[in-house]
Amino acid sequence: MDESNKIDRKEAIKRTALLIGGAVFAPNALGVLQGCTAQPGVDWNPVLFTNEQAKMTTALADVIIPADEYPSASEAGVPAFIESMINDVYTDEQQAEFLEGLDAFAEKSRLELDGDFYDSTQEDRYKFTYSENQNSLEIQRDQDVPFFLRFKELTILGYFTSEVGATEVLRYEPVPGMYNGCMPFEEVGRAWAT
């Protein structure tokens, strides 16, 4: 075998991350490579999360990807996917950081919304989440990625690697045929999953 064609695991993860949309938090890319995918359904029994953290995760994921003509993040099984990634792929340190961020997000929303995030109105949840997103985008390059951006990345990753995201929202062709790299987007209508 030609040694010049070999790539190491780090390079494979990096290339995969680029393929699915840019810079992805490394443990998230690793989790997908290990086969973590969202399973459809809103009912799940948390293993790592407390019931409050599970409700928070479900409500926040549904603000990021609400139901419209396609199922919401929770209907696609994203909250269970997020917990699985945190429990099975993240290191103990990363797991503690995520849970601390989730609890801090819940506490901040509780103070600003005068109640739990998941019990507030859809409009209030959206406004609070929008504000958190804007604040998270103002980070400097040398700062750690804020909790909200990691959560958003996990939500999007879980949704578009789920069966619903890959086959209903994105275009999916189980047995690809001819490749046409110069086709107007209007003829396709949606981005390709595979």
Side-chain angles (χ1 to χ4, degrees):
M1 175 180 244
D2 183 6
E3 292 294 316
S4 65
N5 290 333
K6 285 186 170 180
I7 60 172
D8 62 9
R9 186 183 185 112
K10 185 176 178 183
E11 182 64 23
I13 291 170
K14 184 177 155 188
R15 289 182 184 183
T16 303
L18 289 173
L19 285 174
I20 61 175
V24 175
F25 188 52
N28 296 344
L30 183 61
V32 171
L33 290 174
Q34 289 179 342
C36 288
T37 58
Q39 301 299 315
V42 293
D43 293 330
W44 57 291
N45 295 319
V47 175
L48 174 68
F49 292 168
T50 64
N51 284 338
E52 184 165 328
Q53 290 170 331
K55 286 181 189 177
M56 183 70 211
T57 299
T58 301
L60 183 54
D62 280 347
V63 171
I64 295 170
I65 302 181
D68 53 14
E69 63 189 283
Y70 300 107
S72 68
S74 64
E75 292 168 328
V78 169
F81 167 82
I82 291 172
E83 185 189 47
S84 173
M85 291 286 289
I86 303 305
N87 193 40
D88 300 340
V89 178
Y90 279 34
T91 65
D92 290 344
E93 182 181 343
Q94 293 166 335
Q95 197 177 85
E97 284 178 17
F98 183 89
L99 294 176
E100 185 179 307
L102 184 61
D103 290 342
F105 187 95
E107 183 59 29
K108 184 176 180 182
S109 68
R110 191 174 297 116
L111 293 172
E112 290 192 22
L113 302 174
D114 292 326
D116 289 316
F117 181 83
Y118 47 81
D119 287 334
S120 61
T121 66
Q122 186 174 359
E123 184 178 340
D124 285 345
R125 286 194 304 259
Y126 174 78
K127 285 180 181 175
F128 181 80
T129 304
Y130 180 81
S131 173
E132 286 299 304
N133 186 53
Q134 293 303 311
N135 293 338
S136 297
L137 295 174
E138 294 175 2
I139 63 163
Q140 303 297 316
R141 285 184 168 258
D142 59 340
Q143 292 178 311
D144 289 337
V145 175
F147 161 78
F148 181 77
L149 293 183
R150 290 208 172 137
F151 189 95
K152 189 165 88 173
E153 180 181 296
L154 281 168
T155 302
I156 293 168
L157 187 64
Y159 192 79
F160 288 107
T161 56
S162 72
E163 183 176 345
V164 166
T167 62
E168 293 180 32
V169 181
L170 299 175
R171 290 185 59 125
Y172 175 74
E173 192 166 358
V175 181
M178 181 188 87
Y179 173 74
N180 182 354
C182 189
M183 177 182 283
F185 182 74
E186 294 78 29
E187 291 181 24
V188 179
R190 293 182 282 169
W192 286 90
T194 59

